[in-house]
Amino acid sequence: MAANMPVEALSAAQAEQELARLAAEIGAHDTAYYQNDAPLISDADYDALRQRNAAIEARFPALKRSDSPSERVGAAPTQAFGKIEHAVPMLSLGNAFNEEDVTDFDGRIRRFLNLEAVAELRFTSEPKIDGLSASLRYEKGVLVQGATRGDGRVGEDITANLKTLPDIPHQLPDHVPDIVEVRGEVYMSHADFAALNERQSAQGGKIFANPRNAAAGSLRQLDVAITKQRPLKFFAYTWGEMSAMPADTQSGMMACFAEWGFSVNPAFVTVDETSGLLAHWADIDAQRAALGYDIDGMVYKVDRLDYQQRLGFVSRAPRWAIAHKFPAEQATTKLNDIDIQVGRTGALTPVAKLEPITVGGVVVSNATLHNADEIARKDIRIGDNVVIQRAGDVIPQVVRVLVEKRDSQSRPYEFPSACPACGAPALREIRDDGEADVVTRCSAGLTCPAQAREGLKHFVSRAALDIEGLGQKQIDDYWELGLIRSPQDIFTLEARFADNPPEIWQYTSGAKDKIGTIKDSARKLFAAIEARKTADLDRYIFALGIRHIGETSARLLARHYMSLPAMMQAAQNMAAGDEAARSEIETLDGVGKALVNALVGFFSSPDNCAAVTALIAAGINPTPPEAVATDTAVAGKTIVFTGTLEKMTRAEAKARAEAMGAKVVGSVSAKTDILVAGPGGGSKLTKATELGVEILTEDQWIDLAAR
Ligand code: IVH
């Protein structure tokens, strides 16, 4: 029988039969182990089955089954779920940490909408659930698709998993619009979390660190049967694409969701003004522990949808909503030691090694100490008892020392004067004001292995190149092995190793298989890298890790320069004293002197120029941004606003113009196409007249913007 034959002896027909048998058998063991938490065979026997499966697949790659077990275990779920492009992006929220931030939020909105301080502006308030967001798409009332948030633009297809949640209706009432996308949060209650961990622990299964991780791990299961057994819940709170709007307020939409069969948070309220928001925040904060699920703040939204529409978005967050966070939860523990981490800019960050302790449901064993001054200011010594706190995903911090508990064993910490990674002197730069910078930096630059390695981690991070199968851990591994030591090495991996992949690739798939899967996972990685050669230009710009250039400014620069060589050339021209190039970019809204200096500084380093040139030589081909809109009256034009606008605030006018494909700059030059001048236009108006720039009144601008 084929089951007992050595792999080398199998015919193709026997191999096919064996792969079918192994898929079924391994599948049954997976169910027993993961789903019933009751394994039927030893781990060693189970591994042997998987190894045999992998060996057969390696000999007969064409016979690999679509439901092959080698695709299922260890493979990151991200590689296993299909991708779904969101019809409307899934956004994040800006944060408010205190009353003033909330008042500012209200003020910003009123200014943007040109509302008097006394004009009515209603808000909704509801808890911010600490779970994972999901989007549910209904066509003619039928649930057709469910997706994770992913990067906000593209999520994962987890339709089958979401359908197992009792809170999620499969069918909506007859009268709903043809296309409805309901969005909300998938979460797990404290009680369900504790019971799940108890069950997992009794059966030797995975223990989850907190309810959020448990919810995430349960939802993104390749085996839907496992998700079905996990007690997941869903609160609806927003929407994506809607073919028609069933209400004209946020609260009206929530009422519709409830009527359609969704759970909406019982603590949802509508209030008249910010004082109502603050009162509700305090009320829920007081009840927080008794709610039975994790929340990390309150979410406030402008109730009127026409206002939401006008307010629009900045970067990836709406102007019409904000998350008002709760203070972090605290605990006391012992500080056993202090370690130094070297970041990608060479900053030496001290990290407290703590006696592990649970804070807000999570076990904490490290906390950041920021810098030398912070350690001195808080008088933190090794051996001290310290109060630590954790806020959401933020790294835990040491709040203060319990000096009264200090014993004779505790000793002050001496901050190193050399980089622990490369031995180069670690210095505190003297700033323009003559003071020493708070940050101690390794003086070696990219020749310091820690800096180079952290730079690589930034390069592949989610907001940067985001290469599937090449995460932070792999960068560490590949660095150790000498496979990747600079960004261009990523793109030459295939040329260097396609014929002779090193053993490392067997581990990237998580399977302890033999040589067959080495080639297989190498192939997957090469394909993922190849696909990212044409990643968006703004990601490449962000990935370079230039100081002051975050995601938003990277997008601005991408739109302006449209290619890496053009950006590099412009920076070199600026370094050589080209004032025109400098003023052209400095006038762009959102770009300041510090950013331009950083850009010029970056490209005055021959090493950095060489690194970018090497990337291009390695075959990258970043995709430049598309113009936002090309079929509008102002697409491609450069516009300046001046004077007081009466019907629209400056911010709204600017957002409108940019959405219509125009570039909004702050000062008039020969390159300006249109000046929109309200009363009090002043010097800009004079200059525009001199230069013969087209000048529009506010009304003319509104007419133009409506076209
Ligand atoms: S509204 C366009 N409401 O928080 C605004 N978000 O930090 C969409 N979240 O990605 C979000 N509870 O996953 C909203 N009641 C709530 C929420 C909530 C949790 C999550 C959501 C979002 C993240 C932003």
Side-chain angles (χ1 to χ4, degrees):
M1 214 183 99
N4 301 319
M5 287 169 64
V7 174
E8 299 71 31
L10 294 172
S11 69
Q14 287 169 325
E16 189 168 18
Q17 195 191 337
E18 260 295 76
L19 288 175
R21 179 187 73 84
L22 287 165
E25 191 166 339
I26 293 169
H29 290 306
D30 283 346
T31 309
Y33 184 85
Y34 289 109
Q35 193 178 321
N36 309 333
D37 293 319
L40 303 168
I41 53 173
S42 72
D43 286 359
D45 289 348
Y46 176 79
D47 284 346
L49 288 176
R50 296 188 67 90
Q51 273 171 22
R52 181 170 173 82
N53 185 70
I56 300 175
E57 285 179 351
R59 231 195 108 204
F60 299 96
L63 296 182
K64 185 166 175 175
R65 299 168 60 90
S66 60
D67 64 346
S68 164
S70 62
E71 294 289 340
R72 289 181 23 169
V73 167
T78 46
Q79 297 181 16
F81 292 107
K83 302 267 187 237
I84 287 182
E85 183 159 351
H86 298 300
V88 174
M90 289 181 80
L91 300 145
S92 52
L93 291 169
N95 289 325
F97 297 100
N98 51 42
E99 292 194 16
E100 195 187 340
D101 292 346
V102 177
T103 318
D104 288 350
F105 167 66
D106 178 76
R108 273 199 304 279
I109 291 170
R110 286 176 188 276
R111 272 198 306 283
F112 193 99
L113 297 174
N114 216 1
L115 292 179
E116 301 276 327
V118 291
E120 182 177 87
L121 178 60
R122 293 173 67 80
F123 292 99
T124 65
S125 170
E126 72 204 281
K128 181 168 187 298
I129 315 298
D130 199 5
L132 314 70
S133 49
S135 185
L136 306 165
R137 184 177 174 91
Y138 294 83
E139 289 175 4
K140 298 212 186 303
V142 178
L143 176 57
V144 292
Q145 203 170 65
T148 62
R149 176 174 186 271
D151 65 3
R153 207 174 52 79
V154 178
E156 288 168 321
D157 184 347
I158 51 162
T159 313
N161 306 66
L162 285 167
K163 279 185 171 171
T164 67
L165 271 66
D167 282 348
I168 293 181
H170 293 194
Q171 171 84 50
L172 302 183
D174 289 343
H175 59 270
V176 306
D178 277 356
I179 295 175
V180 165
E181 282 184 7
V182 175
R183 293 175 175 176
E185 205 83 353
V186 174
Y187 68 100
M188 194 179 283
S189 75
H190 290 156
D192 286 337
F193 165 69
L196 172 64
N197 262 355
E198 210 161 292
R199 187 152 55 95
Q200 294 286 97
S201 147
Q203 285 148 348
K206 178 178 166 56
I207 305 294
F208 296 102
N210 58 50
R212 192 188 170 283
N213 288 356
S218 301
L219 190 59
R220 294 164 80 250
Q221 284 286 340
L222 293 181
D223 186 348
V224 174
I226 301 175
T227 306
K228 196 177 164 76
Q229 295 208 331
R230 300 283 171 82
L232 296 171
K233 297 196 163 105
F234 180 81
F235 276 131
Y237 52 66
T238 191
W239 57 93
E241 186 180 352
M242 299 288 289
S243 57
M245 292 304 288
D248 55 12
T249 56
Q250 183 76 33
S251 46
M253 290 298 288
M254 293 289 271
C256 290
F257 291 164
E259 197 245 317
W260 297 347
F262 292 95
S263 296
V264 298
N265 197 292
F268 178 92
V269 297
T270 308
V271 303
D272 288 332
E273 50 187 27
T274 49
S275 61
L277 294 176
L278 298 173
H280 193 227
W281 183 89
D283 185 23
I284 302 297
D285 189 22
Q287 298 177 40
R288 189 175 172 193
L291 286 178
Y293 48 86
D294 276 352
I295 63 174
D296 54 357
M298 299 298 284
V299 181
Y300 307 146
K301 300 171 189 168
V302 169
D303 196 29
R304 274 176 61 164
L305 301 189
D306 58 337
Y307 282 174
Q308 289 191 3
Q309 186 75 31
R310 282 174 61 191
L311 285 157
F313 305 87
V314 235
S315 269
R316 285 166 190 167
R319 281 195 190 82
W320 44 264
I322 201 162
H324 186 185
K325 295 302 192 76
F326 289 129
E329 294 180 72
Q330 300 191 335
T332 301
T333 190
K334 187 164 173 220
L335 189 150
N336 290 329
D337 203 357
I338 295 177
D339 260 11
I340 296 284
Q341 277 175 5
V342 184
R344 74 181 162 88
T345 60
L348 266 50
T349 306
V351 176
K353 299 280 149 189
L354 306 166
E355 197 59 43
I357 182 152
T358 305
V359 196
V362 182
V363 179
V364 168
S365 45
N366 295 321
T368 177
L369 295 170
H370 301 287
N371 53 56
D373 286 357
E374 181 84 355
I375 296 177
R377 192 171 61 76
K378 290 183 177 158
D379 186 21
I380 294 169
R381 304 185 187 183
I382 294 169
D384 276 347
N385 285 290
V386 292
V387 176
I388 59 158
Q389 72 176 20
R390 188 180 157 272
D393 285 335
V394 182
I395 313 158
Q397 305 185 344
V398 173
V399 185
R400 63 191 168 89
V401 171
L402 297 175
V403 184
E404 62 280 13
K405 285 198 169 176
R406 179 172 281 166
D407 64 27
S408 55
Q409 301 291 308
S410 91
R411 53 196 162 90
Y413 176 71
E414 199 174 320
F415 206 88
S417 56
C419 171
C422 72
L427 308 165
R428 295 175 65 164
E429 277 169 34
I430 304 300
R431 296 187 312 226
D432 293 345
D433 61 7
E435 295 287 316
D437 198 73
V438 288
V439 180
T440 309
R441 264 178 227 285
C442 160
S443 55
L446 284 180
T447 55
C448 167
Q451 288 191 49
R453 187 196 294 215
E454 293 308 309
L456 277 168
K457 288 183 184 171
H458 172 77
F459 191 83
V460 301
S461 65
R462 201 160 170 160
L465 266 284
D466 193 18
I467 299 171
E468 228 166 83
L470 193 58
Q472 312 289 299
K473 180 179 175 317
Q474 284 80 23
I475 290 294
D476 275 335
D477 291 348
Y478 293 3
W479 178 278
E480 296 294 345
L481 291 165
L483 300 184
I484 298 178
R485 290 281 167 97
S486 68
Q488 83 261 20
D489 289 349
I490 294 170
F491 299 99
T492 58
L493 266 188
E494 182 167 7
R496 289 183 290 144
F497 296 108
D499 295 334
N500 184 24
E503 293 234 337
I504 177 83
W505 276 301
Q506 75 184 314
Y507 300 111
T508 56
S509 75
K512 297 185 220 99
D513 300 327
K514 295 242 167 62
I515 203 89
T517 34
I518 294 181
K519 287 232 162 97
D520 200 46
S521 44
R523 189 175 45 73
K524 265 193 208 156
L525 179 64
F526 297 153
I529 291 171
E530 186 62 31
R532 300 307 280 158
K533 282 187 175 169
T534 54
D536 289 343
L537 177 62
D538 61 318
R539 285 182 178 267
Y540 271 98
I541 294 176
F542 175 68
L544 295 178
I546 305 171
R547 271 205 232 179
H548 299 295
I549 299 185
E551 290 172 70
T552 307
S553 37
R555 273 196 292 276
L556 282 173
L557 294 174
R559 224 181 292 148
H560 187 74
Y561 290 120
M562 302 298 278
S563 81
L564 287 178
M567 186 171 87
M568 182 155 72
Q569 187 61 57
Q572 286 165 349
N573 292 350
M574 286 187 258
D578 181 344
E579 285 307 313
R582 183 179 278 267
S583 68
E584 181 185 316
I585 165 139
E586 273 182 4
T587 53
L588 272 188
D589 249 34
V591 176
K593 277 207 161 44
L595 189 156
V596 177
N597 287 340
L599 184 69
V600 172
F602 182 86
F603 285 109
S604 16
S605 144
D607 283 351
N608 290 338
C609 293
V612 172
T613 309
L615 269 175
I616 295 167
I620 65 154
N621 185 17
T623 307
E626 282 174 36
V628 189
T630 51
D631 53 353
T632 70
V634 296
K637 303 228 162 138
T638 300
I639 303 186
V640 177
F641 290 95
T642 186
T644 323
L645 301 185
E646 282 158 345
K647 306 208 167 112
M648 209 184 262
T649 60
R650 192 72 82 73
E652 183 171 4
K654 175 171 178 257
R656 277 278 271 288
E658 282 174 350
M660 293 173 70
K663 185 154 93 183
V664 177
V665 300
S667 62
V668 175
S669 74
K671 291 198 179 142
T672 311
D673 293 302
I674 299 171
L675 177 80
V676 179
S683 65
K684 288 183 193 172
L685 186 56
T686 321
K687 184 150 186 210
T689 317
E690 278 167 22
L691 291 169
V693 170
E694 182 180 1
I695 298 168
L696 299 182
T697 63
E698 184 177 6
D699 284 335
Q700 287 170 321
W701 153 249
I702 287 172
D703 273 356
L704 191 68
R707 268 193 256 151

